[in-house]
Amino acid sequence: MTFDRRIFNFAAGPATLPEEVLKQAADEMLNWRGLGTSVMEISHRSKEFMEVYEEVIHDLRTLMNIPDAYEILLLQGGGLGQNAAIPMNLMPLAKNGPKADYIVTGIWSEKSFKEAQKYGVANLVASSAAEKFNTIPAKSSWQLSNDAAYVLYCANETIGGVEFPDVPDVGNTPLVADISSNILSKEMDVTKCAVWFGGAQKNIGPSGVTIVIVRKDFIGHSMGITPTIWDWSVQANTQSMINTPPTFSIYMAGLGFKWLLKQGGVKVIEKRNQEKADLLYSFLDQSSLYENRVTKEYRSRMNVTFFLKDENLNTEFLAQSNAAGLVALRGHKAAGGMRASIYNAMPIEGVKALIEFMRDFERRA
Ligand SMILES: *Cc1c(COP(=O)(O)O)cnc(C)c1O
């Protein structure tokens, strides 16, 4: 399939980016800021790149309303890297030996939970594996420990399409939130967690940079084995430049932040995201061909999963949607079915076009 126009891309990540951002990057590619070179080709320690870095930090602080008590780190290694970095940086804070609590609501938090077991005791607070990760376990069933360094949860499970509506209340234990796939999609009270982390490739820009927002008093407790590049204290002391940072990804994230500010910020995009998700879920709910299987109150606003009740139609559905320029709707192989990721950069027109196509496909099925 080839196209002579931009498609509506429902990929889960790397994901669609705002056209304006791509245009600006293209315009600046050969000669950035009159330097006669692209931003990719200059030193990360140059005055010009340091300006990019400062603006990125400033704009993210503004967008998420991040207090000064929090450090913003721009790292490499993705969310998966942080699955290792988090226990290495935080587990030593536990009072009876390295230990942390994990709430497992999908494939991503399950990965986090498994990785943590390499570094200490990882306690499984609750899991919705038996419910095929279609829900969040009832709070009354949670087995929180009283000597964990932190509780980790995944705010939005990208594969199952399950999202915590609010930051969970876990008492006095510090919270760590994986926001890889819903960062900047809605207002979040940063003070409610000790650490927030996620890669840029879902809701911000291209892959390559991982954002870690960490309260300053949680920095400086790392295990001796912690790799230098993932030691939050080392990175905090060097403006995340203990080695060469992913400069182009940082620059692109910066363009993404400017775009979001121009839209009116997180509050405005949250409304739009809610509207897009509502449209799609109400369509699914009235359909006799498609169904979403997630508990209603935990449905993700970013990753809308659905199944065709007649799975024999899957191949045809994917072929026809693709031909219509509505691409990457195949669900993750671990979950099956379909998934429409509708991040900040997906315009409402894309969601409407998808619904139109699905309605028509249902009529013809
Ligand atoms: C994509 C994703 C990850 C993994 O991110 P990488 O940058 O690929 O390591 C982790 N958690 C969630 C919720 C994700 O969506």
Side-chain angles (χ1 to χ4, degrees), residues 12-13 77-83 108-109 111-112 154-159 178-182 197-202 207-210 303 339 343:
L80 232 53
Q82 289 309 305
N83 278 347
W108 289 116
S109 46
K111 271 191 214 279
S112 305
C154 178
N156 183 67
E157 287 283 359
T158 321
I159 294 172
D178 179 352
I179 49 169
S180 295
S181 52
N182 66 353
F197 73 99
Q201 71 270 27
K202 273 93 186 219
S207 60
V209 62
T210 315
N303 310 97
R339 171 177 53 178
Y343 299 118

Side-chain angles (χ1 to χ4, degrees), residues 58-112:
H58 177 266
D59 288 345
L60 183 60
R61 228 180 245 293
T62 305
L63 283 165
M64 287 184 71
N65 196 17
I66 302 171
D68 286 340
Y70 286 74
E71 195 71 56
I72 301 172
L73 305 175
L74 305 177
L75 306 181
Q76 299 188 70
L80 232 53
Q82 289 309 305
N83 278 347
I86 286 158
M88 286 192 278
N89 280 275
L90 294 181
M91 271 191 180
L93 286 167
K95 51 182 184 241
N96 300 318
K99 182 174 181 183
D101 277 359
Y102 282 77
I103 305 170
V104 171
T105 52
I107 308 274
W108 289 116
S109 46
E110 189 173 55
K111 271 191 214 279
S112 305

Side-chain angles (χ1 to χ4, degrees), residues 15 24-25 39 60 96 103 177 218 228 241 250 256 269 272 282 312 336:
Q24 188 180 343
V39 66
L60 183 60
N96 300 318
I103 305 170
F218 287 89
T228 307
M241 291 191 197
I250 292 171
I269 210 85
R272 232 187 275 169
S282 6
N312 294 318

Side-chain angles (χ1 to χ4, degrees), residues 184-222:
L184 293 172
S185 71
K186 61 178 184 183
E187 291 193 293
M188 295 178 181
D189 179 354
V190 171
T191 64
K192 287 196 170 169
C193 290
V195 181
W196 306 79
F197 73 99
Q201 71 270 27
K202 273 93 186 219
N203 216 12
I204 294 173
S207 60
V209 62
T210 315
I211 293 165
V212 181
I213 301 159
V214 50
R215 219 175 77 195
K216 286 174 179 162
D217 49 328
F218 287 89
I219 295 177
H221 311 282
S222 62

Side-chain angles (χ1 to χ4, degrees), residues 257-310:
F257 295 156
K258 295 281 185 220
W259 174 82
L260 186 48
L261 285 164
K262 224 168 90 188
Q263 306 303 302
V266 174
K267 209 185 199 121
V268 170
I269 210 85
E270 173 170 5
K271 249 202 184 133
R272 232 187 275 169
N273 287 334
Q274 180 74 60
E275 196 184 339
K276 290 184 304 187
D278 285 349
L279 274 180
L280 198 41
Y281 284 117
S282 6
F283 169 72
L284 292 171
D285 286 343
Q286 59 75 51
S287 158
S288 41
L289 178 62
Y290 314 101
E291 63 172 338
N292 169 273
R293 298 177 181 165
V294 177
T295 309
K296 275 198 180 154
E297 59 200 295
Y298 304 135
R299 285 170 163 182
S300 168
R301 288 188 210 168
M302 295 283 100
N303 310 97
V304 178
T305 51
F306 59 93
F307 293 82
L308 274 67
K309 288 178 191 166
D310 179 358

